[in-house]
Amino acid sequence: MPGDESLSILLVDDSAFFLSLLADKLESQYRMTTMTATNAAEAMVELGKGSVDCIVSDYRMPETNGLELYEMVAAQHDVPFILLTSEGDEEIASRAISMGIDEYLQKKSVREDEPLKLLVNRIRTVVEQRRTQRKYERLVDNSPDEISQISVDGKILAANETMATAFNVSQSELVGQPLSAFLPDEVASRRLEEGKRAIAAGSAVTFQDSIGVRHFHNIAVPLSATSDVDSMQLVTREITLQKRNERELEQKSEKLAMINRIVRHDINNDVQLLTGWADRLKDHVDEAGMDTVERIEDTGNHIAELTAIARDFVESLEDDTDIALERTDLGRTLEAEASKKRTAYEDANIVVDDLPRVEVRANELLTSVFGNLLSNAIRHNDSEQPEVRIQSQETDTNVSVRVADNGPGIRDDRKESIFGKGSKGPASPGTGVGLHLVAALVDKYGGDVWIEDNEPHGAVFVVELPKPPSNRGKSTAGEGGTDSETAHWPRQTE
């Protein structure tokens, strides 16, 4: 708490001289605002007039002593209370603390401490503690979780409004009752045992339990009650919906695994048979029939690509929570994918510019990223001779790969949405999942993908991937490279 903060202090003592002296020092030396009272009745009147941050009261006063005043104050107000006792009043001080008084000091020490540093420090401490407690209580009361304090014998010592609402009772009706009065015996017993385990371990314990079809996540935290009886704080959150979603996710995962098996085996085997039969037909058909055979081959190759996309997509979903990244040779991956597409699309011209021999952080599915981009650039190309050019640029920390085509290009309003699940152009023969897979994988690699316009026409898909840490700051383009950036593409594709 800032030392120059103006606190409002109520001083209570039957000695007017002591009150005047103490009030003057607190105001002149510590900029505190003070009010004074010579007995309990005056103190209660002053409390009713306005805000008081702390009460400092003598114990020995006629008619009503300091402990009795504290009881009167506690019944109506939430104000920190410091009790001043005489020498030899250790028993009184012990009673005061057990009753809930925040702090006590010997009156002698206050008189002898000319700057009043000890008293001022105690005032500031108890005020800050009370404010922190109020913030915590507001947090607990407004929490969507059920929060309670439970003794080792299973009695509810305190409970927030959320817990009261859950059992359709008031907070006061919860306090003092055994936990088993509101929960099934086996559930109450389990929560109590976990709480005792937390107390014994001196640390929080988490566990889950169920009541009928409802599921709960619990945290038991060891506490110490004011009566010196060990207790625990129990935080309970209902996770029924979460459990239901987890079961649905498991079922979906099982279905995805089944689809993956079908795609990888049954459909892929049938596609291989289809393309094999088409190849055998070439020796038995005329020129007109050859056109049909080639269409069958093209369709078979397309189906094979789609099954590969579906396989990779399912595998990427299965690795959604944890993906192991490894050092992957980018140049070798690009060359291999370009070679595959040249075989599949003989009419397309695929040009690979000088590529850096550099590694990136990825995994085996990186082939799917560039395989899909190359297929997309060729299949969606309306020119007589599709052309695709692969270029790269390297910096200290990243490598960017550009896949540029001479096709119709992509409108500005679709350059971001095209990576969404199921997105495709109006005349697209694909499923739209290929580019979604590209974006999902690049994101997992910690990279980025976006679309630019090609010149004079067409689109450029740019994939930016991070280097492994040990490769950063090193140029791998050869002796002619620079330490900061090595460019591998011209401003315009040929």
Side-chain angles (χ1 to χ4, degrees), residues 296-318:
I296 293 174
E297 285 184 325
D298 288 344
T299 302
N301 290 333
H302 185 215
I303 295 173
E305 286 184 1
L306 293 179
T307 56
I309 292 173
R311 177 201 64 209
D312 293 344
F313 187 72
V314 171
E315 289 181 359
S316 72
L317 290 178
E318 290 175 346

Side-chain angles (χ1 to χ4, degrees), residues 39-285:
N39 56 56
E42 290 180 8
M44 297 304 294
V45 171
E46 291 295 332
L47 273 175
K49 290 181 179 179
S51 175
V52 173
D53 292 309
C54 183
I55 299 173
V56 179
S57 173
D58 188 20
Y59 169 70
R60 297 189 180 278
M61 294 185 296
E63 298 182 4
T64 306
N65 64 36
L67 290 183
E68 293 169 336
L69 173 59
Y70 169 74
E71 291 178 326
M72 295 168 61
V73 171
Q76 301 180 40
H77 304 277
D78 180 21
V79 182
F81 199 104
I82 297 177
L83 185 69
L84 300 181
T85 64
S86 300
E87 188 175 359
D89 280 344
E90 287 78 8
E91 183 179 347
I92 300 299
S94 177
R95 283 178 53 200
I97 296 300
S98 65
M99 289 173 62
I101 283 180
D102 298 88
E103 189 59 272
Y104 75 92
L105 289 172
Q106 287 190 3
K107 198 170 185 178
K108 177 182 177 182
S109 65
V110 174
R111 288 197 184 103
E112 294 175 350
D113 185 10
E114 290 299 328
L116 295 180
K117 289 183 180 179
L118 180 60
L119 176 61
V120 169
N121 287 339
R122 297 292 175 89
I123 289 174
R124 288 173 175 165
T125 298
V126 297
V127 170
E128 180 65 17
Q129 288 175 342
R130 185 60 59 89
R131 290 178 178 177
T132 302
Q133 180 182 351
R134 288 170 185 162
K135 290 179 183 178
Y136 173 74
E137 289 172 351
R138 285 195 297 270
L139 178 65
V140 169
D141 286 338
N142 294 324
S143 172
D145 300 329
E146 299 174 25
I147 302 178
S148 59
Q149 183 180 355
I150 312 297
S151 66
V152 291
D153 60 358
K155 184 180 295 183
I156 301 173
L157 303 177
N160 69 346
E161 183 62 32
T162 303
M163 184 173 180
T165 301
F167 295 111
N168 198 29
V169 296
S170 66
Q171 289 173 273
S172 60
E173 289 175 309
L174 282 171
V175 175
Q177 297 296 316
L179 192 60
S180 57
F182 302 96
L183 295 172
D185 290 342
E186 64 276 10
V187 175
S189 177
R190 167 81 188 286
R191 292 185 182 181
L192 184 58
E193 287 303 314
E194 294 293 346
K196 291 179 180 178
R197 189 160 70 90
I199 292 172
S203 60
V205 171
T206 62
F207 60 98
Q208 296 183 5
D209 54 25
S210 302
I211 301 176
V213 297
R214 301 172 65 193
H215 303 279
F216 301 89
H217 179 81
N218 304 282
I219 304 175
V221 182
L223 298 173
S224 179
T226 56
S227 59
D228 294 329
V229 176
D230 285 330
S231 63
M232 65 166 173
Q233 183 180 69
L234 184 64
V235 181
T236 299
R237 172 174 297 180
E238 183 167 1
I239 56 171
T240 303
L241 180 59
Q242 175 184 328
K243 284 289 187 180
R244 184 183 300 122
N245 291 339
E246 288 176 356
R247 286 197 299 271
E248 291 177 355
L249 183 60
E250 289 175 0
Q251 293 171 357
K252 289 180 180 179
S253 297
E254 292 174 358
K255 292 178 182 178
L256 283 173
M258 179 182 67
I259 293 173
N260 195 22
R261 288 193 297 271
I262 293 174
V263 167
R264 296 181 66 174
H265 296 94
D266 300 359
I267 295 179
N268 195 49
N269 289 341
D270 286 349
V271 169
Q272 295 300 322
L273 289 173
L274 181 65
T275 54
W277 292 336
D279 186 62
R280 291 171 61 183
L281 279 176
K282 289 181 179 179
D283 296 333
H284 303 284
V285 298

Side-chain angles (χ1 to χ4, degrees), residues 343-485:
T343 302
Y345 301 101
E346 295 179 354
D347 293 336
N349 181 26
I350 302 176
V351 180
V352 181
D353 284 359
D354 183 32
L355 297 175
R357 287 303 174 187
V358 63
E359 294 177 328
V360 294
R361 295 177 68 248
N363 66 357
E364 69 277 1
L365 292 180
L366 182 62
T367 58
S368 187
V369 170
F370 294 109
N372 276 290
L373 290 181
L374 289 172
S375 294
N376 184 76
I378 297 170
R379 293 189 62 84
H380 299 178
N381 198 314
D382 58 0
S383 64
E384 293 184 1
Q385 183 176 12
E387 180 176 303
V388 183
R389 182 177 292 273
I390 303 175
Q391 303 162 321
S392 68
Q393 184 181 40
E394 182 182 358
T395 67
D396 286 346
T397 58
N398 300 301
V399 181
S400 297
V401 177
R402 294 166 62 93
V403 179
D405 63 63
N406 62 341
I410 298 172
R411 300 194 314 265
D412 289 342
D413 61 350
R414 297 197 66 243
K415 285 179 179 174
E416 291 187 10
S417 63
I418 199 171
F419 293 107
K421 185 177 181 180
S423 294
K424 58 183 179 180
S428 171
T431 62
V433 75
L435 291 180
H436 175 66
L437 175 61
V438 168
L441 288 172
V442 171
D443 182 66
K444 287 185 176 184
Y445 300 153
D448 196 8
V449 59
W450 64 90
I451 303 172
E452 298 176 357
D453 293 326
N454 197 13
E455 296 294 341
H457 55 82
V460 182
F461 283 76
V462 184
V463 177
E464 185 179 71
L465 298 169
K467 294 180 181 178
S470 60
N471 279 7
R472 296 181 180 180
K474 298 179 181 180
S475 175
T476 56
E479 295 180 359
T482 64
D483 289 338
S484 59
E485 183 173 313

